[in-house]
Amino acid sequence: MSAKIIDGKKVAGITRDEVRQDVEDWLDAGNRPPFLQVLLVGNDPASNVYVGAKTRACKEVGIETDTHRLPDTVSAKELKKTIHRFNDDDSIDGILVQLPLPSHLSSHDVIEAIDHKKDVDGFHPMNVGRLTVGQPSFRSCTPAGIFELFKYYSIPTKGKHAVVVGASNIVGRPISIMLSKEDSEGKATTTICHKYTKDLTAHTISADILIVAAGQPNLVKGEMVKEGVVVVDVGINRVADETKEKGYTLVGDCHFESVQEKASWITPVPGGVGPMTVAMLMKNTLLAAKRSIYPE
Ligand code: NDP
């Protein structure tokens, strides 16, 4: 079997077109444009790239945005004061603090300082908790994007065995919750693996759906998966490559060549999950502007 490609770039384009149309309708109805406030601490090159991609996408769909930069020496108190100011500003619909933060700052504390009604990343404990108990919430963008891909390609999850490799609060854990949900989506039997999982292959080999979000290049190889598995490779890893102008190549967490020989569907890296994450941020910002999740 040679896997069919789950084209995240294409589906993200469709999603962004839909958001652009919805924003137009929203403006035609006499509303102001949605506004996303980004907070960027320090000068991490990868964070700069991600923020650049997000703000470009905003402009493309008609969402207004501003990036507030703070030095990497900023105190937790100062950072939270800035967030509280954004919370109180009615012209700001969504707030995004770009992660990771410098090591002296606790991302938990900082995320909790964001008004959950403006938490368009879906990381606030209120949103994660509401997701867990099936209440309307902002859903973390990467897992939400993966579900959009399943929907677009009519890939069923109901009754399947879904295995998630990685248990972070931003990808592994929320996608495992969404996959295991008994109500509107998911309905899969879900296994979640992490660094302390003994014999990872024993789990990955039984997966009908395999989500890999560990940040480890080539962690999952062909011999670790069964024929026909659907593979979603979330990992984005920079691997040194002298033949490339930038000096590196982007690879996922799966060894693409060997895994795609056995899979029925697979996401490429780049061009798989990444573009969906940005598209879902646009969608969440529009939901925030419309007060759709938390009506006033
Ligand atoms: P984290 O480092 O926060 O979490 C990684 C998780 O993987 C942890 O739970 C860790 O276990 C687990 N893990 C690490 N090594 C292994 C291993 N050898 N076997 C099993 N589990 C392992 O990363 P993120 O969740 O933030 O990101 C994961 C990857 O996804 C990264 O490459 C990141 O760049 C990418 N990413 C891509 C996005 C996209 O839009 N495509 C969005 C967000 C992230 P433990 O809990 O025990 O430490």
Side-chain angles (χ1 to χ4, degrees):
M1 183 176 284
S2 185
K4 284 179 268 185
I5 297 294
I6 298 175
D7 188 345
K9 218 169 154 183
K10 175 173 125 189
V11 183
I14 294 167
T15 307
R16 285 207 305 268
D17 285 346
E18 285 167 4
V19 175
R20 189 189 301 115
Q21 186 56 57
D22 285 355
V23 170
E24 260 178 57
D25 295 346
W26 177 245
L27 298 181
D28 287 348
N31 300 293
R32 64 163 174 76
F35 191 97
L36 175 68
Q37 180 64 57
V38 178
L39 235 161
L40 180 56
V41 180
N43 214 5
D44 175 57
S47 291
N48 274 314
V49 171
Y50 291 137
V51 167
K54 289 169 188 176
T55 52
R56 271 197 307 281
C58 277
K59 283 173 191 150
E60 199 191 300
V61 300
I63 292 175
E64 291 187 351
T65 181
D66 170 65
T67 301
H68 186 83
R69 290 172 181 269
L70 288 168
D72 57 7
T73 51
V74 71
S75 66
K77 195 173 167 194
E78 192 56 39
L79 176 54
K80 285 196 245 177
K81 214 167 100 183
T82 309
I83 293 173
H84 292 146
R85 185 157 54 80
F86 295 153
N87 286 345
D88 294 339
D89 186 339
D90 286 341
S91 66
I92 292 173
D93 300 306
I95 301 171
L96 179 153
V97 177
Q98 183 62 40
L99 302 178
L101 293 169
S103 57
H104 69 283
L105 297 167
S106 152
S107 57
H108 290 295
D109 262 15
V110 171
I111 288 165
E112 242 179 309
I114 300 171
D115 179 349
H116 66 276
K117 296 176 182 168
K118 298 188 177 187
D119 168 41
V120 285
D121 253 342
F123 296 161
H124 191 288
M126 179 68 97
N127 283 311
V128 179
R130 287 174 67 100
L131 171 76
T132 309
V133 297
Q135 287 286 94
S137 64
F138 286 111
R139 298 183 315 157
S140 180
C141 298
T142 303
I146 294 171
F147 265 87
E148 286 292 310
L149 291 172
F150 288 160
K151 205 161 77 184
Y152 182 84
Y153 287 100
S154 302
I155 295 171
T157 56
K158 187 174 167 185
K160 304 289 180 189
H161 181 206
V163 175
V164 180
V165 181
S168 75
N169 288 330
I170 66 169
V171 189
R173 230 175 268 277
I175 190 76
S176 71
I177 293 166
M178 287 162 68
L179 281 162
S180 66
K181 270 172 75 172
E182 271 298 309
D183 46 14
S184 56
E185 57 192 0
K187 297 186 173 77
T189 303
T190 307
T191 300
I192 182 157
C193 304
H194 44 71
K195 248 184 245 160
Y196 301 98
T197 298
K198 287 181 190 152
D199 193 0
L200 186 61
T201 304
H203 301 282
T204 57
I205 200 91
S206 70
D208 301 311
I209 296 173
L210 180 63
I211 316 273
V212 193
Q216 303 289 325
N218 297 326
L219 176 65
V220 172
K221 301 179 180 67
E223 67 263 26
M224 295 168 70
V225 301
K226 72 176 179 191
E227 288 284 339
V229 62
V230 174
V231 178
V232 176
D233 189 350
V234 183
I236 303 176
N237 307 290
R238 288 182 181 193
V239 173
D241 184 347
E242 286 169 6
T243 66
K244 295 276 156 49
E245 199 182 319
K246 288 180 179 163
Y248 64 84
T249 306
L250 285 184
V251 299
D253 288 351
C254 296
H255 182 260
F256 187 83
E257 289 73 21
S258 61
V259 172
Q260 66 106 31
E261 272 175 26
K262 292 172 89 178
S264 54
W265 291 96
I266 192 166
T267 58
V269 178
V273 177
M276 289 308 294
T277 299
V278 179
M280 298 318 285
L281 175 68
M282 305 298 104
K283 222 169 169 169
N284 276 354
T285 305
L286 180 59
L287 289 174
K290 290 182 169 179
R291 312 288 188 259
S292 301
I293 308 284
Y294 299 105
E296 279 175 335

